[in-house]
Amino acid sequence: MNKNLREQMNIVVVGHVDHGKSTVIGRLLADTGSLPKGKLDQVRVTCERNARPFEYAFLLDALKDEQAQGITIDTARCFFKTKKRDYIIIDAPGHVEFLKNMISGAARAEAALLVIDAHEGIQENSKRHGYLISMLGIHQLIVLVNKMDLVNYDWSVFDSVTTQYRNFLDNLGVSSVSFIPLSARNGENLAKKSDAMKWYTGKTVLEHIDAFNKQDDDYAKPFRMPVQDIYKFTAAGDDRRIIAGTIESGQISIGDHVTFMPSGKKSTIVSIEGFNSPVKQTIHNGYATGFILKDELYLQRGEVMCRSDERPPYSATRFRANIFWMGRKPMVQNQKYKLKIAAARVPVRLVSIITSIDAAELTSVHGKKQIERHDVAECIFETTKPFAFCNIDDIHSLGRFVIVDGYDIAGGGIITGIDQDQTSLSNKQLQKSEIDWDTGLITEQDRQKIYGHKSRFIVITGKKSVQVAKSLEYQLFTHKKVAYYLGPVFDERDATDETTIHKLGEFARIFIDAGIIFITSLKRVDESELNLLSKLTAPFNFFHVSIENYEDMNTKDTIILNGIVEHEKLSEMIIHELKRQGDISDFSI
Ligand code: GTP
Ligand code: MG
């Protein structure tokens, strides 16, 4: 938000072959005086020398040649400026390149100019490009009805192209698009109003693009910071935790209340930690920074820090998105992929394809079951746990994602909304696993009488959970209780994946049914994982013991034990609790 910086806007120019895209761009550069000194004359002279008529389109080639000789080569863009702001024109060499750049975030257009040749009329690509623009979520679009000089600047030709194309856009749900009659070659209605088309009373191209809204003012939007890392400082003897990340939007001050999404954990900002920068009271979008919170929260990387007094982002598992697939293997339904969005990484599955088109050929295909390489598709996705996200129109960096298949980035997409359908895949999977099993003659009560206790599923979480769980199993076993410990072996991240939770849940059900006290340990667990476990073991309640005094989970069966106590002591405390709840009798320690 540096006021000294001029505002910038990215614009893409699309249209059917030869309809005049390069001429429009060349004209915009020339008529706004944005060309390097002498460039225009130089190109004119070269044309004369080669006995070719001068073309504004040649300006672009000339600029590219020049840039290619320079040190910083950026042939994909060119620039022009008006009084209002600076413009960057994103060159769209081909659909595939264009989509790849747009969707991966290498380039981002905030507005589009679509060129249609008045003489040739609407062609296939005129429509396909319109479709791609709408799929990419670019809402600011002007249609330039070019080469009006070839149709004698006739209003009725302009009117007929406009009516047809407007109908087409209406069907795509794209509205409020302006149409400008143009002769790019003659400079009519680009920088100055045309004398040849007095019947047109609307804006020129330059007036129109200056009137585009800058949607990117992320400063004015709600505060969002994806948590990139959590640093622990023990050097000073204290236990400060710094929540670090880059602020994507909005602003925040010391004392503000914050909520982390999707976990919903809350705290207050105590200090803003700059990296080699002076202490700040307030900080805003664009900064990479760290925060110290009043409470010691157990947070996961990828959660989004928000201000509690502002509108929250979405926090859900199902969303609608438009994606562009680049993977060698097609994207298929129900297979697990990894979704990377801002700092979050979540397993994701393709639920259904609404429409898909082949981006190279731009032919649209309905009823497809998989997304092929270079397809653009509108789909529904589902993640295995909730994550925080926004619509692409809201906060761009939280509405754009990539999909990783194995180790490769195989696709990219933009989120167009939350999906309201609540019948999630994991619920369906749960239903699928409900096979009708047959059991023997022994009842639950019979088992309780013989074993001397009720069956129970005990989930111990926290850093010391493994030792405590093993100690608990040992103590129960030496007192002739039927206890069994089974815990996953952790990788260095101590994270639990969804498959492990599923397996555990299924085992637990069997063990509980067999009358056993089944104990497991998970180093890290979040509320959605606990919910999944609880669904998998329903109607039984499991008993969650969290051995970390700073964890703040509100599961009703949670008891929180202080981490200082030795693990034998902890397991004794658990046994006491089991006795208190009436699960175990005749047990003295
Ligand atoms: P590709 O990049 O090949 O897809 O073409 P393009 O859309 O960039 O078109 P370009 O600007 O190269 O123009 C194609 C031809 O149309 C050139 O010969 C231009 O001189 C001509 N042209 C562009 N605008 C106008 C116009 O307003 N009137 C007339 N008569 N010709 C034009
Ligand atoms: Mg061109």
Side-chain angles (χ1 to χ4, degrees):
M1 271 294 284
N2 189 336
K3 292 272 180 271
N4 298 324
L5 281 181
R6 274 172 60 86
E7 195 172 85
Q8 281 193 341
M9 181 177 272
N10 297 342
I11 296 186
V12 66
V13 182
V14 292
H16 195 74
V17 166
D18 266 1
H19 279 198
K21 300 176 290 292
S22 302
T23 309
V24 166
I25 299 170
R27 262 288 178 184
L28 286 172
L29 299 187
D31 292 359
T32 53
S34 307
L35 288 168
K37 234 183 166 175
K39 195 85 227 163
L40 195 61
D41 289 336
Q42 187 197 326
V43 174
R44 279 191 203 279
V45 169
T46 316
C47 285
E48 242 165 66
R49 202 178 297 144
N50 297 327
R52 300 165 73 180
F54 168 79
E55 289 265 354
Y56 276 94
F58 296 158
L59 281 168
L60 300 192
D61 300 330
L63 286 176
K64 278 179 191 170
D65 289 346
E66 187 168 274
Q67 283 168 342
Q69 286 160 20
I71 299 163
T72 46
I73 307 170
D74 190 355
T75 49
R77 288 142 202 255
C78 54
F79 309 88
F80 72 93
K81 54 174 72 155
T82 63
K83 263 201 210 103
K84 175 153 184 183
R85 50 168 98 99
D86 293 348
Y87 290 94
I88 301 169
I89 301 233
I90 304 166
D91 205 8
H95 328 304
V96 172
E97 287 309 309
F98 169 58
L99 280 165
K100 212 184 256 179
N101 288 344
M102 289 290 292
I103 242 157
S104 65
R108 181 185 172 221
E110 293 157 77
L113 305 179
L114 190 138
V115 184
I116 300 177
D117 181 333
H119 184 62
E120 217 180 278
I122 297 163
Q123 299 295 309
E124 266 307 283
N125 277 351
S126 319
K127 292 190 175 176
R128 289 165 181 162
H129 288 179
Y131 178 67
L132 293 181
I133 293 294
S134 81
M135 266 211 137
L136 287 165
I138 304 169
H139 299 308
Q140 309 198 82
L141 170 67
I142 313 178
V143 178
L144 306 178
V145 182
N146 190 31
K147 306 197 191 179
M148 284 299 291
D149 54 298
L150 294 183
V151 296
N152 296 322
Y153 298 109
D154 184 352
W155 170 81
S156 62
V157 178
F158 173 72
D159 185 55
S160 135
V161 172
T162 303
T163 310
Q164 285 176 50
Y165 203 72
R166 214 188 271 287
N167 281 341
F168 164 73
L169 289 177
D170 277 348
N171 289 337
L172 292 180
V174 180
S175 54
S176 66
V177 174
S178 302
F179 289 74
I180 305 179
L182 206 73
S183 170
R185 178 184 275 175
N186 300 344
E188 308 280 355
N189 281 337
L190 267 125
K192 63 171 182 29
K193 278 217 158 58
S194 166
D195 286 332
M197 292 179 277
K198 289 228 162 22
W199 46 263
Y200 173 75
T201 52
K203 294 191 178 90
T204 62
V205 176
L206 280 182
E207 284 168 349
H208 233 300
I209 55 180
D210 270 351
F212 278 146
N213 288 323
K214 187 72 194 161
Q215 294 170 321
D216 254 7
D217 193 4
D218 286 335
Y219 179 78
K221 291 178 181 167
F223 176 86
R224 309 273 188 255
M225 186 192 81
V227 176
Q228 193 73 40
D229 253 310
I230 296 145
Y231 298 108
K232 229 172 153 170
F233 283 80
T234 37
D238 59 0
D239 217 18
R240 287 183 309 149
R241 291 177 149 224
I242 297 186
I243 314 296
T246 299
I247 304 171
E248 296 294 350
S249 59
Q251 37 155 326
I252 201 159
S253 305
I254 292 174
D256 280 345
H257 297 292
V258 291
T259 306
F260 290 86
M261 298 299 278
S263 71
K265 292 176 183 178
K266 291 184 193 308
S267 192
T268 308
I269 304 285
V270 169
S271 73
I272 299 170
E273 303 286 306
F275 296 112
N276 304 320
S277 65
V279 178
K280 287 191 171 63
Q281 253 334 94
T282 296
I283 196 162
H284 60 77
N285 64 312
Y287 279 93
T289 188
F291 295 94
I292 292 182
L293 305 175
K294 195 164 154 215
D295 311 89
E296 237 183 313
L297 298 182
Y298 165 54
L299 296 166
Q300 286 189 330
R301 182 199 152 112
E303 290 208 43
V304 178
M305 184 165 121
C306 309
R307 264 170 60 176
S308 308
D309 61 345
E310 292 178 328
R311 147 178 80 83
Y314 290 129
S315 171
T317 55
R318 280 172 78 106
F319 62 95
R320 262 170 185 266
N322 297 335
I323 79 153
F324 177 56
W325 192 249
M326 298 174 265
R328 255 162 295 158
K329 284 184 285 173
M331 183 179 214
V332 294
Q333 277 168 305
N334 293 327
Q335 188 175 310
K336 199 146 101 183
Y337 298 91
K338 199 196 292 161
L339 177 87
K340 286 199 198 179
I341 178 162
R345 313 275 178 270
V346 232
V348 68
R349 289 190 181 91
L350 169 67
V351 177
S352 60
I353 302 170
I354 302 164
T355 53
S356 94
I357 62 166
D358 177 327
E361 301 295 323
L362 288 173
T363 43
S364 101
V365 192
H366 289 282
K368 259 192 161 179
K369 290 274 174 280
Q370 58 181 29
I371 308 171
E372 319 280 348
R373 186 179 172 87
H374 296 161
D375 277 0
V376 183
E378 187 186 357
C379 322
I380 305 276
F381 288 97
E382 184 175 331
T383 54
T384 52
K385 47 171 124 178
F387 71 108
F389 61 90
C390 295
N391 270 3
I392 191 73
D393 297 343
D394 186 3
I395 291 154
H396 199 259
S397 52
L398 288 174
R400 190 178 63 213
F401 60 87
V402 296
I403 289 177
V404 179
D405 184 10
Y407 294 99
D408 304 322
I409 290 188
I414 56 168
I415 297 180
T416 56
I418 188 167
D419 185 61
Q420 302 299 348
D421 186 354
Q422 296 305 312
T423 48
S424 71
L425 272 184
S426 46
N427 272 343
K428 278 183 204 147
Q429 267 174 354
L430 284 182
Q431 284 157 14
K432 241 198 319 200
S433 68
E434 292 292 329
I435 306 167
D436 257 340
W437 296 105
D438 193 16
T439 49
L441 301 174
I442 301 148
T443 65
E444 197 186 325
Q445 286 73 24
D446 294 339
R447 288 183 214 277
Q448 279 177 22
K449 230 186 269 162
I450 297 292
Y451 299 159
H453 56 79
K454 290 183 187 163
S455 65
R456 200 69 154 116
F457 177 28
I458 302 172
V459 182
I460 305 179
T461 60
K463 261 175 280 158
K464 280 189 168 185
S465 59
V466 178
Q467 294 95 312
V468 176
K470 287 182 179 174
S471 155
L472 178 63
E473 179 201 34
Y474 185 79
Q475 289 196 44
L476 288 166
F477 186 77
T478 50
H479 286 81
K480 300 199 165 53
K481 306 298 175 223
V482 189
Y484 179 59
Y485 166 76
L486 186 72
V489 174
F490 292 98
D491 60 18
E492 70 280 5
R493 288 171 302 118
D494 292 345
T496 324
D497 69 11
E498 185 218 1
T499 325
T500 313
I501 298 281
H502 262 276
K503 279 257 154 63
L504 262 182
E506 279 166 18
F507 289 152
R509 273 192 69 116
I510 300 170
F511 286 117
I512 303 167
D513 207 45
I516 292 167
I517 300 175
F518 179 55
I519 307 158
T520 195
S521 69
L522 296 168
K523 289 204 173 166
R524 285 184 165 194
V525 75
D526 62 28
E527 234 157 307
S528 72
E529 287 160 341
L530 287 176
N531 284 340
L532 181 57
L533 263 188
S534 143
K535 268 191 207 163
L536 287 161
T537 51
F540 305 102
N541 285 333
F542 66 84
F543 179 36
H544 175 213
V545 182
S546 163
I547 317 172
E548 214 125 24
N549 50 4
Y550 56 80
E551 295 203 6
D552 61 347
M553 281 173 265
N554 301 319
T555 323
K556 68 175 184 315
D557 264 336
T558 302
I559 59 163
I560 296 172
L561 300 173
N562 197 312
I564 315 157
V565 190
E566 286 306 309
H567 51 258
E568 285 84 3
K569 262 265 173 308
L570 282 169
S571 55
E572 281 171 20
M573 287 169 74
I574 298 170
I575 292 168
H576 274 301
E577 183 60 25
L578 291 175
K579 281 168 73 178
R580 201 185 60 75
Q581 294 187 11
D583 286 359
I584 303 177
S585 50
D586 77 335
F587 195 105
S588 53
I589 42 175

